[in-house]
Amino acid sequence: MRPRIYQLETTNVCNARCDYCPHPHMNRTPGFVSFETVEKVYNYCEEIGQKYIALHHMGEPLLHGSIRKIIELFESGGIRTEFSSNGIMLPHVGESVLKAGLSRLRIAVDFKYADEMYRKLLCDFLKVAQKYETEIRIHTIVENDLDAFAKANPKAILESKSFDNWAGEVYGESELSKGKECYFLKHNYVVVLWDGRIVPCCMDYNGTHILGHIDTIETVQKRSPVALCKSCAQLQFAEGGEWEI
C-alpha cells in the first residue's frame, strides 16, 4: 500500500505556548517548508489521487509567508486543504487564506482567550469569513465559552474537545477513550515535516521515528507500530480520512 500524506508541516514555528501541547519541549530545528517541497508533495498527491491534505503539524501555518500560494496550489488541483490556527494572526492575514480557497479552518482559541482584544478581533474576522465558503470550526480544550464567536459567525461550528496527552508526551492523563485501531497504521498515512522528512503520525512531534524523505516516499512500506503507539489513545482520525468531527 502506497503511503498517503495526511499532513504537510508548513512550519514548526509557533507564536503560542499552549499548556496541553508538546511544542515547548520540541528540539527539532525550526523552519518553514520550501515551495519546492510543497510541489513534490502536491505532485505525489495528484499521482495517487489524494483529495485532501492538512497543512499543519507542530506550528502556526499563518506564519509561513507563502501559505496562500500553498493553498492555491492544492485547491487548484482539486485537493481540499485545511489547517489549524491559534487565531492570533487571522485578523491580519486570515482573509487572504479564505480567498485562496481554504476548505476548512480550525481555530484553537485557548492560548489567547483571556485577552479581550484577541476575542474582539477574532470576532471581526469571523464576521468577514461569512462571505466565503470555508468551513470554520472553533474549539476549546479547557472549556472556554465560545458563544461570542457563534454570534459573530452563526455558520461556525463550535467544539469542546477532550485533553489528549500526545501519547504520554504531555503531563496528564488522556481524556480520550482508548481506540480499537490507528488509522495512520490502517491506511498507511504519514506526515511530511517542513524539511521533507517523513514521520509515521501526528504524535511524533519531535521527528523521532523517521521513515524516509519526500524524495524517496515510494520506499516507505506498510508500517508496524512504533514506541509512541503504546501510549496513544488512537482516536485522532475518522474512517473517511479527515480530522474526526
Side-chain angles (χ1 to χ4, degrees), residues 95-112:
E95 190 170 7
S96 69
V97 301
L98 302 183
K99 289 179 179 179
L102 184 69
S103 294
R104 181 183 294 132
L105 171 63
R106 298 182 184 270
I107 310 172
V109 299
D110 291 335
F111 179 69
K112 292 281 286 185

Side-chain angles (χ1 to χ4, degrees), residues 88-228:
I88 295 173
M89 298 181 64
L90 284 174
H92 311 290
V93 299
E95 190 170 7
S96 69
V97 301
L98 302 183
K99 289 179 179 179
L102 184 69
S103 294
R104 181 183 294 132
L105 171 63
R106 298 182 184 270
I107 310 172
V109 299
D110 291 335
F111 179 69
K112 292 281 286 185
Y113 181 87
D115 186 330
E116 183 178 356
M117 183 57 66
Y118 166 81
R119 299 196 305 273
K120 177 186 181 302
L121 292 176
L122 184 54
C123 284
D124 290 344
F125 164 78
L126 291 171
K127 293 174 183 177
V128 173
Q130 294 185 76
K131 300 186 300 183
Y132 298 89
E133 296 182 1
T134 304
E135 179 187 278
I136 306 290
R137 307 185 78 94
I138 305 169
H139 68 263
T140 176
I141 291 180
V142 296
E143 300 182 355
N144 285 315
D145 185 358
L146 305 180
D147 288 346
F149 304 124
K151 292 177 182 177
N153 187 335
K155 296 190 299 182
I157 299 169
L158 308 183
E159 302 173 300
S160 182
K161 294 193 172 185
S162 299
F163 168 76
D164 183 31
N165 64 8
W166 287 75
E169 295 296 305
V170 175
Y171 178 77
E173 193 71 26
S174 178
E175 297 174 358
L176 295 177
S177 301
K178 193 71 173 178
K180 295 182 179 179
E181 61 183 341
C182 170
Y183 293 118
F184 271 98
L185 289 174
K186 181 178 180 179
H187 299 296
N188 214 23
Y189 295 145
V190 297
V191 177
V192 177
L193 303 180
W194 71 264
D195 57 6
R197 293 182 300 161
I198 297 172
V199 294
C201 69
C202 64
M203 295 298 170
D204 192 358
Y205 72 95
N206 224 5
T208 303
H209 304 281
I210 301 299
L211 303 175
H213 192 276
I214 186 60
D215 290 338
T216 56
I217 190 171
E218 295 289 354
T219 65
V220 177
Q221 304 298 317
K222 183 68 176 176
R223 305 186 318 280
S224 301
V226 296
L228 287 171

